[in-house]
């Protein structure tokens, strides 16, 4: 939601000094897409620490799965 608002505002501000309508349109679109890409990149950087599971909560693979060495009776 924030990226949509910021992209719109940044696009409008970038085109204030451009007189040609066609150039203004394409500049606004470029700035909007660039703003969304930058904000998605920032979100990926900020999200990474929250996506990791602390080592104290991780279980080793051999305890998470049933033992394959158990004999069937």
């Amino acid at each position: 939601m924030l990226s949509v608002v910021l992209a719109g505002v940044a696009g409008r501000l970038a085109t204030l000094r451009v007189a040609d309508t066609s150039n203004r349109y394409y500049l606004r679109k470029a700035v909007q897409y660039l703003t969304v890409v930058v904000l998605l990149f920032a979100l990926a950087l900020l999200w990474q620490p929250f996506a990791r599971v602390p080592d104290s909560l991780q279980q080793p693979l051999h305890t998470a799965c049933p033992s394959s060495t158990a004999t069937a009776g």
Side-chain angles (χ1 to χ4, degrees):
M1 182 69 173
L2 176 66
S3 63
V4 174
V5 173
L6 284 178
V9 170
R12 294 289 178 183
L13 289 176
T15 60
L16 287 178
R17 294 188 184 202
V18 179
D20 185 26
T21 306
S22 177
N23 286 344
R24 188 172 38 221
Y25 173 79
Y26 288 113
L27 179 61
R28 185 170 55 241
K29 289 296 177 187
V31 170
Q32 288 173 351
Y33 285 125
L34 183 63
T35 304
V36 170
V37 168
V38 167
L39 288 174
L40 286 175
F41 184 70
L43 179 64
L45 288 176
L46 292 175
W47 196 275
Q48 187 179 7
F50 298 110
R52 292 188 184 151
V53 177
D55 291 334
S56 61
L57 296 178
Q58 289 181 348
Q59 295 179 347
L61 288 176
H62 66 277
T63 59
C65 300
S67 176
S68 60
T69 59
T71 57

